[in-house]
Amino acid sequence: MTQMPTMLLFGVVLFLFLLCCIIGSNGYQPAHLRNKIASSIAKGERRANLRNVVRREYCKKCDRPFPVQCICDCLPPERITLPTTDVLILQHPAEFRRRHISTVPLIKLVLDNVQIHVGRYFDLKAPPIAEAISNGHRLLLLYPGEDAIDLDKYDITETTTRSTNKSSGPSS
């Protein structure tokens, strides 16, 4: 028998002994007191069982359940450096809380220049976006949608020309 259940058993026996001494020698125990004792014993047993539960182990690198969902073998040996590109990820708090199934933390394990900001609303004045604009970076929003452009067919000069024409306004 292990140390913890022995201590628990000793505590329960001591509690029952003291309770019998308080009630007296007539052996009468009211129903509410019997229920309270039974509930107390059951609660103590449940807590002891919870202490003995083996917790799931997580990989220290990818933070996924180990070894079943660990993906470290699939990651590149060194992070990829994109010398002319910085990646800024705007993540919703609901996805952030689900960190063990979210793919965002994995991006930091693969790419070098990655910043992750968590929030519900971001506009052009939000610090990470405003800083990128003030540094002269060109922003590209990657988000799936019906009118999304296939990145394999993406032409940076066409987008730059199209955005320049939109900002100059209609010509007469």
Side-chain angles (χ1 to χ4, degrees), residues 85-90 129 132-133 137-143 149-151 154-156 159-160 162:
T85 305
D86 292 327
V87 178
L88 172 63
I89 298 174
L90 308 174
I129 300 171
I133 292 172
H137 293 290
R138 187 173 326 170
L139 302 179
L140 184 63
L141 177 65
L142 301 179
Y143 189 81
I149 300 170
D150 184 357
L151 286 179
Y154 178 71
D155 181 13
I156 190 71
T159 305
T160 306
R162 191 171 36 200

Side-chain angles (χ1 to χ4, degrees), residues 109-121:
L109 299 175
V110 176
L111 294 177
D112 233 0
N113 303 335
V114 177
Q115 292 180 31
I116 300 171
H117 292 275
V118 179
R120 290 190 183 279
Y121 304 102

Side-chain angles (χ1 to χ4, degrees), residues 37-75:
I37 293 169
S39 175
S40 178
I41 292 170
K43 189 184 297 183
E45 289 174 355
R46 281 194 309 272
R47 287 182 180 160
N49 289 337
L50 286 176
R51 281 188 218 107
N52 294 331
V53 170
V54 176
R55 299 285 182 214
R56 181 183 279 187
E57 193 176 332
Y58 288 91
C59 175
K60 293 183 184 350
K61 185 175 179 184
C62 68
D63 202 27
R64 302 282 176 168
F66 184 79
V68 178
Q69 294 179 5
C70 176
I71 60 162
C72 290
D73 292 340
C74 302
L75 297 174

Side-chain angles (χ1 to χ4, degrees), residues 2 5 7 9 15 29 32-33 39-40 46 74-75 79 82 84 92 94 97 102 108 116 142-143 146 160 163 167:
T2 62
M7 290 174 54
L9 183 61
F15 176 75
Q29 294 178 350
H32 74 281
L33 197 52
S39 175
S40 178
R46 281 194 309 272
C74 302
L75 297 174
R79 290 192 300 181
L82 304 171
T84 60
H92 192 275
R97 284 190 297 273
S102 173
K108 285 191 87 131
I116 300 171
L142 301 179
Y143 189 81
E146 292 176 14
T160 306
S163 64
S167 63

